[in-house]
Amino acid sequence: MRWAGILLCLTVLAVVFHDGTGQTDQTDQRLKRREKERFRLAELARASTSFGVSLYRELASRADSNVIFSPFSVFTALSMTLLGTNGTTKAELRTVLAQRPRQGIHRALRAVIHSFPRPSPTTNVTLRMANALYYDDQRASLTSSFLRHMRRLYGAYPERFRRPEPETPINDWVYRQTGGKIRDFLSPGDITPDMMLLLLNAIYFQGTWKEIFDERSTRDQDFTTGSGRVVRVPMMSRDGAYSVKALEPGLRTMVLELPFGTDDRFSLFVLLPDDVNGLPNLESRLDSQVLEDAMSSMPQASRFQIQIPRFTLRMKTSVKETLRAMGLSRLFSDSADLSRMSPDRLKVADVMHEAVLEVDEKGATAAAVTSVGIVAVSLPPQFRVDHPFLVVLRDKKARLNLFMGRVSDPSVGDA
């Protein structure tokens, strides 16, 4: 059978959440349903955090400067792919995603997506996520079960490739779903003649700080980059109540929480090593438990003078070899089993990811795109962020890390 092609894309810009609560009901049946839902959401948080940290460590080891990506975006895109896999391919992908059988991850993802907050003047946070499925209606043979699961679990309805220039309407969809932050995601010719399917996940986040920074207080100040070079960057400054804590002594790292909006749901966490050149040590010891502990049980806010650079991170890269290093190989080989997606023989050709994170005096905006191609701050104490640091944009209620990044040089706009 001739190889067919598929491209699985995911676009992300934002932060994700879910409160995991339901209406109180005293019946045993409803209590059991609520307990199952809480279990599924806990499994989703565990799996996505584990996968995200592993992916971060691989990406960070391959880059010398800034890093930004959406672990939740890549996780969701590969979870959609998982619906179409079988046999050893399914087992391998599930292992890389840190998912366990019969844990209801797909249902948990559906619940999280439906729980995202709509734009609101009271919360000052906007979060949206959408999925789409484009295909070659002349040659694609997609199974009814795959299409049904994509509609029911991910809200993705099949759309035909528009010939010629099939990339144009897809780029338009990505642009709209990401608030204009991701444009021209696909280049002309990216949808090759042997491509059968394109899966897209788009996520957009925009949040205003709970306490905004006064732009008049922003001054150019020194920042020591990861290479040891000193650059001048616009340093935002604010005196206020912030939650700050130190990690275990061996990590030599301080954590700052910068909350968004009014509902204490989304925050940007800054993990700042004590030493100017201490980020490599933190990254070498980073695992899912260290990251979870870093952002859990934050102390009561106290007065600090916060100084943090205004920055923009953007990165576009293939993560195929990164995923291979994490143990995902069969999906990219001729022995890939995507029989639950299509009776045709398919394999993943590449996985591309693009992400952007903008942080300024008012708040933060984030976006990301992942494509999986299958062929077919008396002065109060200071928290001064003047050397490389790690950032995590987190949904605290769902314990989901939507964006992760390394700021090695904030004077560089693109990673």
Side-chain angles (χ1 to χ4, degrees):
M1 174 91 53
R2 195 185 75 212
W3 286 98
I6 302 177
L7 179 63
L8 180 69
C9 297
L10 119 268
T11 306
V12 188
L13 165 71
V15 181
V16 187
F17 91 82
H18 180 61
D19 63 5
T21 62
Q23 292 186 349
T24 304
D25 194 297
Q26 298 304 313
T27 66
D28 290 341
Q29 187 176 13
R30 293 199 175 188
L31 286 173
K32 288 179 180 179
R33 283 201 296 265
R34 288 181 60 191
E35 186 59 33
K36 282 185 177 180
E37 182 182 14
R38 283 193 293 266
F39 174 76
R40 287 194 292 260
L41 291 172
E43 280 296 299
L44 172 60
R46 178 200 56 77
S48 63
T49 296
S50 178
F51 170 77
V53 169
S54 297
L55 185 56
Y56 174 83
R57 292 186 63 171
E58 286 293 335
L59 289 172
S61 70
R62 297 164 185 264
D64 296 327
S65 187
N66 299 335
V67 171
I68 185 63
F69 75 107
S70 170
F72 193 66
S73 171
V74 182
F75 183 88
T76 303
L78 292 177
S79 293
M80 289 193 291
T81 309
L82 183 64
L83 285 173
T85 61
N86 213 348
T88 305
T89 304
K90 180 178 181 178
E92 184 182 86
L93 180 53
R94 180 178 277 157
T95 298
V96 170
L97 290 173
Q99 296 186 16
R100 296 189 280 238
R102 296 179 294 279
Q103 302 305 300
I105 294 293
H106 297 295
R107 291 186 179 182
L109 280 167
R110 179 180 62 179
V112 166
I113 293 170
H114 286 310
S115 74
F116 286 170
R118 297 291 184 262
S120 169
T122 58
T123 62
N124 291 324
V125 171
T126 296
L127 177 62
R128 62 172 176 258
M129 186 174 186
N131 300 300
L133 188 161
Y134 289 84
Y135 74 109
D136 186 333
D137 64 318
Q138 299 299 315
R139 297 186 304 115
S141 301
L142 303 179
T143 67
S144 59
S145 62
F146 177 73
L147 291 174
R148 183 175 65 255
H149 289 318
M150 287 297 297
R151 289 193 299 266
R152 182 173 62 88
L153 297 170
Y154 293 97
Y157 292 83
E159 295 281 349
R160 299 173 182 175
F161 284 149
R162 191 192 72 184
R163 308 282 187 181
E165 299 179 352
E167 298 85 4
T168 299
I170 295 169
N171 282 339
D172 290 343
W173 185 89
V174 169
Y175 182 82
R176 291 193 308 271
Q177 298 299 330
T178 59
K181 295 300 179 180
I182 303 290
R183 62 171 69 233
D184 298 328
F185 175 59
L186 298 177
S187 299
D190 277 354
I191 299 181
T192 56
D194 64 347
M195 187 170 296
M196 291 177 58
L197 180 67
L198 182 69
L199 299 177
L200 295 138
N201 162 259
I203 200 170
Y204 172 84
F205 171 85
Q206 193 282 322
T208 302
W209 300 126
K210 184 176 181 179
E211 301 290 345
I212 66 172
F213 292 78
D214 189 337
E215 294 183 22
R216 294 171 297 183
S217 299
T218 300
R219 299 283 188 275
D220 284 351
Q221 297 187 38
D222 288 348
F223 184 100
T224 303
T225 68
S227 65
R229 186 168 59 96
V230 177
V231 297
R232 300 286 284 178
V233 299
M235 192 76 73
M236 306 184 299
S237 180
R238 186 177 185 279
D239 185 339
Y242 291 94
S243 185
V244 174
K245 74 176 182 183
L247 299 186
E248 63 172 273
L251 293 172
R252 296 181 54 77
T253 296
M254 298 293 292
V255 181
L256 164 69
E257 179 179 359
L258 296 170
F260 295 102
T262 59
D263 62 356
D264 193 34
R265 179 174 183 176
F266 301 101
S267 291
L268 183 73
F269 288 85
V270 176
L271 281 67
L272 179 69
D274 297 344
D275 302 324
V276 171
N277 58 352
L279 189 56
N281 173 62
L282 173 60
E283 291 176 335
S284 69
R285 301 185 59 177
L286 192 67
D287 59 26
S288 58
Q289 191 60 56
V290 167
L291 189 62
E292 188 68 25
D293 291 344
M295 295 180 292
S296 301
S297 302
M298 292 296 290
Q300 184 175 353
S302 56
R303 189 182 175 197
F304 279 87
Q305 184 187 53
I306 303 300
Q307 293 183 314
I308 183 171
R310 184 175 64 208
F311 62 88
T312 296
L313 303 179
R314 183 184 293 271
M315 184 173 75
K316 185 173 185 178
T317 184
S318 168
V319 294
K320 175 181 177 179
E321 294 308 316
T322 303
L323 292 170
R324 279 185 183 274
M326 293 169 62
L328 189 60
S329 59
R330 186 173 292 269
L331 194 64
F332 302 107
S333 73
D334 289 356
S335 59
D337 185 349
L338 295 172
S339 57
R340 296 176 65 197
M341 182 182 295
S342 170
D344 298 314
R345 295 182 61 198
L346 306 172
K347 68 175 180 180
V348 173
D350 200 0
V351 179
M352 294 295 298
H353 185 71
E354 181 175 357
V356 58
L357 173 64
E358 300 173 351
V359 173
D360 60 22
E361 290 84 355
K362 295 180 180 178
T365 305
V369 181
T370 307
S371 69
V372 183
I374 310 173
V375 247
V377 342
S378 124
L379 288 176
Q382 283 194 347
F383 193 104
R384 182 178 172 83
V385 185
D386 61 358
H387 55 270
F389 58 98
L390 190 152
V391 293
V392 181
L393 205 161
R394 182 172 174 87
D395 174 352
K396 296 193 297 179
K397 290 188 177 180
R399 296 189 294 127
L400 295 174
N401 304 320
L402 300 167
F403 290 84
M404 289 183 67
R406 171 213 286 162
V407 182
S408 180
D409 184 352
S411 68
V412 179
D414 294 345

